[in-house]
Amino acid sequence: MKFCRFGPKGQEKPGVVDADGKIRDLSGVVSDLTPDTVRLSQLKKLTALDIASLPIVEGQPRYGVPVNGIGKIIAVGLNYADHACRSRPSRSSSPRRSRR
């Protein structure tokens, strides 16, 4: 399932994108997508829904932030180890000296 929030800025509603790429309105099921509603226990309930029974959102609504109320996101890229190895300076046989 691809969850989303859609609508005018500050008035976003929760939604889910169906297999045809159409947004389905989830606001009749949950009031918003927040850290509490995207916990595993809550996601199990949402994934059990029949998406086809949810109303289709007409037009081309604006996509908002996917989850409301997130303080910060910390992520590490999948290629982090490869990048770190490539960016390490080569080691010389003698220590480097710097003048300041």
Side-chain angles (χ1 to χ4, degrees), residues 13-52:
K13 292 182 178 182
V16 62
V17 180
D18 69 13
D20 296 326
K22 295 182 180 174
I23 300 174
R24 301 286 183 144
D25 189 346
L26 266 177
S27 63
V29 180
V30 293
S31 60
D32 201 359
L33 295 175
T34 65
D36 289 331
T37 59
V38 295
R39 293 178 192 261
L40 286 179
S41 60
Q42 296 298 324
L43 285 178
K44 287 179 184 177
K45 294 175 188 176
L46 292 176
T47 56
L49 291 173
D50 177 19
I51 296 174

Side-chain angles (χ1 to χ4, degrees), residues 46-80:
L46 292 176
T47 56
L49 291 173
D50 177 19
I51 296 174
S53 68
L54 299 171
I56 294 175
V57 176
E58 299 297 330
Q60 297 291 322
R62 170 191 163 276
Y63 279 98
V65 177
V67 179
N68 190 23
I70 296 291
K72 63 180 166 180
I73 298 174
I74 299 173
V76 175
L78 293 175
N79 65 344
Y80 175 78

